[in-house]
Amino acid sequence: MRTTPHIASLFQPLEVAIRTVLLPSIAAHFSPLQREMFALPARHGGLAIHDPTKIADEEYKNSRLATEPLIQLISEQKTKIDCVRELAVAEQLSSKKTEVLSNKRKWQVNQRSAVAAQLSPAQHRQFEELCHRGTSTWLTSLPLQEHGFTLNKLEFRDAIAIRYDLPIEGLPRTCACGKANNLEHCLSCPRGGYVHLRHNQLRDLTANLLEEAGCKDVTVEPRLLPLSTETFHLRSTITGDDARLDVAARGIWSPMERTLLDFRVFNSLAPSNATLSVTQALDKHEQEKKRCYGERVIQVEKCSFSPVVLSTSGVMGNEADRLYKQIARRLATRTNQSYEDCIRYIRQRISFSLIKTLVVSRRGFRGTRCERVQKDSDLNILYSNKTLIY
């Protein structure tokens, strides 16, 4: 591909095998447009499963460009070159490499734009969300069992289906609550407790990260101080004596300073968010949290407040992004690791935590306990007036 020109058509059998063997093992049903989407890099909303018939010519062109200085040297047929020429060739190679990377990025952006132009407004919004940082981390991570960075084959297929809103075989068409059992509904349905599970997993994960980073007095669900005569300018402020937030810790931003965190993982496909861009939805939910708790925390608790808001796909709000970067800095200092490795580790843990809870909420049981017994066993329990003797 990189050494021989004009061979794109020869890769057609390979592309047929990708479409008929490889991709059906990952996604049972996909359209030609989604095949183009799968060919994009993960950071552009794809799976990096390239179409060899489309990239062959581009790869050859980039290969020729990157090796141009070496080709020139070979054509000169010299047995030795002086140091000055050697340094000049090294600089040329570095420059050509930068140019090749720039050309690849431009080509990928053009391919992404071509795919986006064929999508409906709703599909385009969902596709743009996949292009944000954090939504594809679970796809590009090494499967390390010790850190929980693994999915079994069923979970992986379901995760791909959730990523692209593809149908999943074996699921009932109707939810236990009576509504259509589609992706938008299953991420919001309160039956089964999966919305709370998603929230609690992120809360507990963040509390563990704070402890790993060396923060003190880390507590989960701390109660706020009861009010006496305090008044607030915002009517939306929570004033109940039983009010509590999700996590409290000292030393996040400065030594001994107490910080209260409140979490929200919202469904970006829900009707209340569907008309907003992901960035606008994140800002909306952050402001709601601040209106509910910000004034009370600052005036009564005398500490700082950070709303931690993420979409179900893993896109972080500004406050959440700032928090996890600060945790990464503290973790890097404490463990003598680089900041880049620490922030990558944090993003990976968050990404896998979210995708696993999404998979569970997509397939999880939402009926009653009696329904489960009747469906999963052959036992018929008949209630009567008789007394059971054990």
Side-chain angles (χ1 to χ4, degrees), residues 331-343:
L331 193 60
T333 302
R334 195 179 193 210
T335 60
N336 294 322
Q337 301 290 327
S338 68
Y339 167 78
E340 291 75 15
D341 288 341
C342 290
I343 191 64

Side-chain angles (χ1 to χ4, degrees), residues 108-123:
Q108 291 168 355
V109 170
N110 291 336
Q111 293 296 310
R112 168 185 162 183
S113 300
V115 170
Q118 304 176 61
L119 300 173
S120 66
Q123 292 174 330

Side-chain angles (χ1 to χ4, degrees), residues 202-222:
L202 182 62
R203 178 200 64 194
D204 296 341
L205 170 60
T206 304
N208 290 336
L209 288 172
L210 289 169
E211 291 179 343
E212 289 180 27
C215 294
K216 306 299 182 183
D217 191 25
V218 179
T219 56
V220 174
E221 293 193 349

Side-chain angles (χ1 to χ4, degrees), residues 1-9 11 14-15 18 35-36 38-41 48-63 104 107-108 111:
M1 186 182 292
R2 295 180 179 178
T3 59
T4 309
H6 313 303
I7 59 170
S9 59
F11 288 100
L14 177 58
E15 172 58 17
I18 291 173
R35 170 63 187 109
E36 295 181 28
F38 295 162
L40 296 171
I49 304 177
H50 302 292
D51 183 344
T53 63
K54 292 185 177 180
I55 67 170
D57 293 338
E58 188 70 19
E59 288 293 319
Y60 175 76
K61 183 179 71 174
N62 288 332
S63 178
K104 280 188 174 182
W107 186 81
Q108 291 168 355
Q111 293 296 310

Side-chain angles (χ1 to χ4, degrees), residues 29-77:
H29 306 285
F30 60 93
S31 65
L33 178 58
Q34 286 168 330
R35 170 63 187 109
E36 295 181 28
M37 194 181 297
F38 295 162
L40 296 171
R43 66 177 178 274
H44 289 306
L47 297 176
I49 304 177
H50 302 292
D51 183 344
T53 63
K54 292 185 177 180
I55 67 170
D57 293 338
E58 188 70 19
E59 288 293 319
Y60 175 76
K61 183 179 71 174
N62 288 332
S63 178
R64 282 298 300 262
L65 180 61
T67 57
E68 191 175 305
L70 298 178
I71 294 173
Q72 181 64 29
L73 281 178
I74 294 172
S75 64
E76 292 176 3
Q77 292 294 300

Side-chain angles (χ1 to χ4, degrees), residues 19 36 128 142 154 180 256 288 294 315 327 337:
R19 288 175 179 263
E36 295 181 28
E128 287 299 317
L142 292 175
L154 180 62
M256 294 306 297
E288 285 182 5
V315 186
I327 296 175
Q337 301 290 327

